[in-house]
Amino acid sequence: MSNKGLWLLVLIAAIGAGGYLYWQQGAKQSPAPPPAPPVAEKPAEPPASAGPEHPIAETEKVALPALDESDATLVVALSGVIGQKAVANFFHITGMVRRFVGAVDNLPREKVAQKLMPLKPTAGRFAVSGEGDEAVLSPENYRRYAPAMKVLEAADARKLVAVYAHFYPLFQQAYAELGYPNAYFNDRLVQVIDHLLAAPSARAPVRLARPKVMYQYADPELESLSAGHKIMVRIGPENAEKVKSKLRELRAELTVRPMAPEARNQDTPTSGKP
């Protein structure tokens, strides 16, 4: 079974998150060395469930590596798809499954910690047009995500989900470690996909403020968005629609349940403010 699908699914969750620090700092920096596997703070545990709302289809039973020993296997698999150089340049190669699970779980929240990012910061410099009160998010930023978008659009959703199902026990184990022993990671994944599909589309120009070192959205409505919604705004409307299109395909394969009404809306504009 091909491993391509698994890592494209990782890519979807991390496309914007990989550039999170570049967004906050507004400056080009040398990538930091891969950190140790993340240890997330234990969240409030949801109530016990009688079973998954979106069960994963059973796959052929095969031996999987232990979660703590899975990095080497996953690096080899990923290198066979995109090459060793690409893996070294773009991916954190420690705690790969845990990073993905942690990042997905945190996308609807206020922030996603750097230690949870599956991908290294997006290449290129964060671009701002204008200064002071005239600072706006430059369209040059959107082009930084072009290589990832090419991979994303070429992905086959059915194969993505088939491979994800194949490795699902590792993802479920990592999710239980976060503090959810009575919940199911696939249910959370579907929930987060719906959340990203409901992300608003900000009208250009997207104005920025810099009260201290880090850039923020000048519009309080945008600044109050979740980490996942901020990512969708930051990558630009065209890229966001490409991501949403693939997420719809993935959701259709992950579950037969209809998506929430707000998730069907491709782009829910924010207020008239830029």
Side-chain angles (χ1 to χ4, degrees), residues 39-60:
V39 179
E41 295 182 3
K42 184 176 179 179
E45 183 179 338
S49 171
E53 182 178 4
H54 304 292
I56 287 290
E58 292 187 4
T59 61
E60 181 182 356

Side-chain angles (χ1 to χ4, degrees), residues 160-171:
L160 290 175
V161 174
V163 176
Y164 164 71
H166 177 73
F167 287 93
Y168 184 72
L170 297 182
F171 292 94

